[in-house]
Amino acid sequence: SSHTPPLCSLFAKEKLPKMSEQQLDLYDRLINEPSNDWDIYYWATEAKPTPAVFENEVMAMLRDFAKNEKREQRLRQPDLEYLFEPPR
C-alpha cells in the first residue's frame, strides 16, 4: 500500500523475483494482513517483537534485509525511486 515504509518496497524489488510460491504467499499475507504497515517495519527492524503468526522464513529474510539496508544507507544516499510506486 502507499503507506508502507520504503523498506518493504526495496525488499520486494530485490527479493520477490527469487521467491518460491510458498514464500510469495507468506509475503502476501504479511503485507496485507497487519492493520498497520508500520508494524511490519517495526518487526523487521526488531523495534517490536514479531507476532507468532507472522514469524516465518519471509519475516526472517525481511529482518536480514533491514540490517543490510541500515549498513548500506551509511554508504550511499538512498535513491528516490521508491517514492514513485508503480500503480496496481
Side-chain angles (χ1 to χ4, degrees):
S1 80
S2 56
H3 309 299
T4 311
L7 179 74
C8 290
S9 320
L10 295 168
F11 175 81
K13 189 172 164 186
E14 187 171 313
K15 302 292 184 191
L16 258 55
K18 301 169 193 144
M19 282 192 190
S20 67
E21 284 295 314
Q22 185 189 5
Q23 289 172 328
L24 288 169
D25 191 48
L26 291 171
Y27 180 76
D28 199 53
R29 296 219 317 261
L30 177 65
I31 60 168
N32 288 305
E33 284 182 17
S35 52
N36 183 347
D37 289 329
W38 282 97
D39 283 341
I40 303 167
Y41 180 80
Y42 296 138
W43 303 335
T45 56
E46 298 179 83
K48 291 182 182 175
T50 305
V53 66
F54 296 119
E55 189 51 77
N56 56 48
E57 61 185 305
V58 172
M59 194 66 227
M61 289 164 70
L62 192 53
R63 269 199 300 270
D64 283 348
F65 186 79
K67 290 187 182 109
N68 287 334
E69 263 308 297
K70 279 206 178 105
R71 277 203 296 277
E72 282 175 25
Q73 279 179 357
R74 290 190 204 122
L75 303 174
R76 64 169 170 82
Q77 284 293 309
D79 58 27
L80 298 178
E81 204 180 330
Y82 62 75
L83 296 176
F84 307 100
E85 300 240 324
R88 288 181 178 266

